[in-house]
Amino acid sequence: MKILLNNDDLNEALYNVSNLGFIPTMGSLHKGHISLIKKSQRECNKTIVSIFVNPTQFNNKKDYKKYPRNYKKDLSILNKLKVNFVYLPRKEDIYKSKRAKKIKLDKKDKILCAKHRNGHFEGVIDIMDRFTKIIKPKKIFMGEKDFQQLYLVKKFIEEKYNTKIISCKTIRDKNKFALSSRNLLLNKTALIKAGNVAKHIFSFKKKIFKKKNIQKIINDKKNEIEKLFNIKVEYFELRNIRNFKSSNKTKDSKIFISYYLNKVRLIDNI
Ligand code: AMP
């Protein structure tokens, strides 16, 4: 496994590499990340993983500071997986050049997380644009856990580059909560609660199949979940998975939720 600490290392290592699979991460790796890496190893000749906690996608400085960082453990996981390259860029490697045109989301995309985290997806798209330009991967593997991110990045990158974005299923704990690096900020009781919230939504989604007046049922459920689990729900919405429009049926749709548990913001889609 080659560790690439700057862009000179990167250019040298990737010279002549074709059919490259890329997995961008912010580290504190878990089984969700590992499933993306394994998929890349099955589909591509070589695999590169980046670890970079990207400051521009945090709309809150405190959140950036407390984001879990475990570089040593991450490198040991990646080494065991026999990943070809790990890219650990410095901020200046990524943000050396100024962008000619500012990233702007379409008005219709200012929903869910985009509505509640000002500038977040602009930061994500910007860094994905920069990564794709320097790494030139054939495929980028991204998780459905961050479904809106996957949708927006896919739209931007596939239009601009000859790179495919490959979507990968959400990996859950046996308790059903979606694995996330932010789970390291939660205690055991909170994780059990997160699992119960997910289980509750899975069974709710089955029950509303073919029901009429779904939007009212969804709104009522949002309030019920807040009371039942004593959590602050930021959004709870049923949306179509292809165009993200509000949906009236469960077919081709997912329930998107964001909520705060012990001051940690969690998202899921079911
Ligand atoms: P992050 O390190 O949180 O920025 O995530 C890096 C990549 O891993 C993103 O494409 C995420 O969607 C993906 N990912 C995070 N958690 C999971 C999970 N539980 N299952 C599948 N993919 C995930």
Side-chain angles (χ1 to χ4, degrees):
M1 181 174 86
K2 271 194 191 152
I3 299 176
L4 315 171
L5 294 172
N6 55 56
N7 285 6
D8 290 337
D9 287 358
L10 181 90
N11 290 333
E12 197 184 315
L14 297 188
Y15 178 73
N16 254 347
V17 173
S18 58
N19 192 7
L20 179 67
F22 171 42
I23 300 97
T25 83
M26 298 210 294
S28 291
L29 302 179
H30 50 68
K31 285 184 185 151
H33 298 114
I34 293 173
S35 73
L36 271 51
I37 294 168
K38 289 195 168 158
K39 191 160 175 161
S40 169
Q41 289 177 319
R42 285 196 299 275
E43 293 190 15
C44 299
N45 290 347
K46 297 265 160 103
T47 290
I48 179 167
V49 176
S50 66
I51 302 177
F52 182 65
V53 184
N54 175 30
T56 70
Q57 71 188 68
F58 285 82
N59 50 322
N60 176 327
K61 263 205 175 132
K62 254 197 203 155
D63 189 27
Y64 171 66
K65 276 209 172 130
K66 75 173 188 197
Y67 194 86
R69 289 157 170 90
N70 294 288
Y71 295 104
K72 244 187 160 171
K73 191 168 168 221
D74 289 347
L75 288 177
S76 141
I77 292 172
L78 295 172
N79 196 31
K80 276 197 199 114
L81 286 168
K82 297 195 167 60
V83 162
N84 303 98
F85 310 107
V86 186
Y87 178 42
L88 300 170
R90 304 162 302 182
K91 265 188 230 160
E92 54 267 37
D93 284 302
I94 305 289
Y95 292 111
K96 213 166 14 197
S97 61
K98 275 221 157 139
R99 18 178 1 102
K101 200 168 152 228
K102 226 177 144 193
I103 304 276
K104 265 191 103 179
L105 292 192
D106 291 347
K107 208 170 159 213
K108 67 172 173 33
D109 289 330
K110 287 248 176 199
I111 52 168
L112 304 173
C113 288
K115 189 168 152 193
H116 294 277
R117 297 187 73 188
N118 213 356
H120 167 64
F121 287 123
E122 289 85 343
V124 172
I125 293 170
D126 179 35
I127 194 163
M128 288 305 296
D129 186 22
R130 290 168 188 269
F131 274 152
T132 310
K133 198 167 171 185
I134 44 181
I135 297 174
K136 301 179 194 70
K138 184 154 185 219
K139 294 179 179 173
I140 302 177
F141 296 82
M142 299 183 75
E144 288 182 4
K145 156 79 175 40
D146 302 280
F147 207 89
Q148 193 179 10
Q149 166 177 283
L150 175 69
Y151 172 84
L152 293 171
V153 169
K154 190 175 173 72
K155 196 159 71 166
F156 184 93
I157 295 292
E158 291 189 350
E159 196 180 295
K160 184 165 172 187
Y161 298 94
N162 192 14
T163 294
K164 273 250 158 256
I165 304 289
I166 309 296
S167 83
C168 307
K169 291 261 163 285
T170 300
I171 305 297
R172 295 176 183 278
D173 178 83
K174 60 177 185 319
N175 258 332
K176 283 280 188 205
F177 64 78
L179 297 183
S180 161
S181 306
R182 287 181 196 273
N183 291 350
L184 291 172
L185 303 171
L186 295 172
N187 60 27
K188 219 175 155 190
T189 320
L191 285 175
I192 290 171
K193 197 187 254 195
N196 289 339
V197 171
K199 277 185 232 160
H200 193 88
I201 300 172
F202 272 111
S203 87
F204 169 68
K205 196 177 175 199
K206 272 192 201 140
K207 280 186 211 148
I208 59 173
F209 176 68
K210 284 198 170 164
K211 277 244 162 79
K212 290 203 176 104
N213 204 4
I214 259 186
Q215 283 303 332
K216 159 112 178 50
I217 299 174
I218 295 272
N219 277 338
D220 292 348
K221 182 52 85 178
K222 175 183 183 225
N223 297 332
E224 190 192 322
I225 285 179
E226 285 197 315
K227 287 200 190 99
L228 192 62
F229 297 101
N230 191 23
I231 52 176
K232 176 85 198 99
V233 176
E234 193 175 63
Y235 62 71
F236 183 79
E237 298 182 28
L238 182 71
R239 287 188 179 263
N240 182 286
I241 52 170
R242 292 189 223 298
N243 56 25
F244 272 83
K245 284 191 179 148
S246 259
S247 181
N248 272 317
K249 52 182 184 341
T250 51
K251 188 169 179 277
D252 293 333
S253 299
K254 277 176 172 276
I255 293 175
F256 292 85
I257 185 170
S258 154
Y259 63 99
Y260 282 88
L261 191 52
N262 297 358
K263 296 202 175 138
V264 179
R265 184 178 182 276
L266 299 177
I267 57 169
D268 202 351
N269 58 84
I270 285 167

